[in-house]
Amino acid sequence: MEKNEIRPSSVKLVFLGDSSVGKTCLCNSILHIEFTQDVLSTIGTEKIETKFILHNGQDIKLILWDTAGQERFRSVALSPVKTCHGIVFVFELTSRTSFENVNIWLDSVKDIYTGQKMVLFGNKSDIEKSQWEVTREEAEAYAKKMNLKYFETSAKTRKGVDEGISYIVNESYPIAVERIKNQNIQLKTDEDEYMTVRGCFGKKKKIKKKKK
């Protein structure tokens, strides 16, 4: 590793999509928690942490934000988006409505998008295909149109989960690197322009340096 190489310690992902599409079960699958149908709907957001090994062999902390899908919790669900590095949009293959509503979720992040990597998961692929309301070809065509990578996943069997998560985490890592670089540049700028002094009662405060 080069002396000045920047190596972020974590990557943050947020899962967005309608209620009951399987976001919580997908998070549990990533944590290798045994699948169960009896999962309560998420209210607001829930932060989950685990370890992850990147393609380059680096160990990082993977932070997952599981979010509510109900419309009344939409603003709360979107709160982690701005600081995350990757976004996983999830729909249910047996629910055409959840697929069509991906447009709404994409539109919701438009004003808070800061360069995050984005993917699309078509979940519950373990269910018999005769019950699917969205075909692979249709989902892939939509994903291509919206510049998203598409994965068919099953939180129950874990099919496609490891592949999809590996892709989004490794693609999101450079974004984490870039953000730390920008933070360091800003800190250096602050150091050049300001100095810390002690004011009344010993409290520290920053004042702008006088130009020479």
Side-chain angles (χ1 to χ4, degrees):
M1 181 177 72
E2 295 180 7
K3 186 177 180 180
N4 295 323
E5 183 181 351
I6 295 175
R7 293 167 69 91
S9 61
S10 65
V11 167
K12 304 173 187 177
L13 303 181
V14 60
F15 287 72
L16 298 177
D18 284 3
S19 181
S20 300
V21 295
K23 299 186 297 296
T24 300
C25 289
L26 282 168
C27 289
N28 288 343
S29 179
I30 295 165
L31 298 177
H32 294 275
I33 296 174
E34 186 176 354
F35 178 83
T36 176
Q37 299 281 6
D38 302 322
V39 176
L40 297 175
S41 295
T42 303
I43 298 176
T45 61
E46 183 176 352
K47 183 181 179 182
I48 306 164
E49 297 182 4
T50 187
K51 292 181 180 179
F52 191 89
I53 301 177
L54 297 171
H55 289 332
N56 64 10
Q58 180 184 348
D59 289 327
I60 63 165
K61 180 191 296 181
L62 177 58
I63 300 172
L64 309 173
W65 283 98
D66 183 18
T67 65
Q70 299 94 326
E71 187 174 353
R72 65 181 183 276
F73 297 126
R74 184 72 51 85
S75 60
V76 179
L78 293 172
S79 58
V81 171
K82 194 171 183 178
T83 58
C84 75
H85 307 111
I87 305 173
V88 182
F89 294 99
V90 185
F91 73 93
E92 180 183 337
L93 288 162
T94 59
S95 168
R96 184 157 198 86
T97 299
S98 70
F99 174 64
E100 292 174 346
N101 284 347
V102 172
N103 275 323
I104 297 175
W105 287 103
L106 276 166
D107 191 59
S108 295
V109 304
K110 184 173 60 178
D111 294 333
I112 48 178
Y113 178 75
T114 54
Q116 300 92 334
K117 193 69 182 178
M118 302 188 293
V119 294
L120 179 64
F121 282 11
N123 196 37
K124 304 188 181 182
S125 64
D126 56 280
I127 296 177
E128 177 61 43
K129 281 194 175 182
S130 61
Q131 299 181 46
W132 289 19
E133 295 183 1
V134 183
T135 65
R136 173 179 293 182
E137 293 74 18
E138 186 177 12
E140 287 179 341
Y142 173 78
K144 184 177 181 180
K145 177 183 176 182
M146 306 307 292
N147 198 29
L148 305 173
K149 183 78 172 178
Y150 175 64
F151 296 90
E152 279 182 359
T153 61
S154 167
K156 184 176 182 178
T157 67
R158 292 187 51 80
K159 182 180 179 181
V161 176
D162 288 341
E163 181 186 1
I165 291 300
S166 179
Y167 171 83
I168 184 62
V169 174
N170 281 281
E171 289 292 316
S172 298
Y173 182 73
I175 296 169
V177 172
E178 191 62 30
R179 286 189 183 175
I180 286 185
K181 284 182 180 178
N182 292 338
Q183 288 173 5
N184 288 345
I185 290 171
Q186 185 59 49
L187 286 172
K188 185 65 171 61
T189 301
D190 288 346
E191 288 173 1
D192 291 341
E193 292 186 1
Y194 294 86
M195 61 181 177
T196 302
V197 298
R198 289 189 178 276
C200 297
F201 308 106
K203 290 184 178 180
K204 292 182 179 180
K205 63 179 181 179
K206 285 186 176 181
I207 61 171
K208 198 163 187 176
K209 292 180 180 178
K210 294 180 179 180
K211 292 183 180 181
K212 294 181 180 180

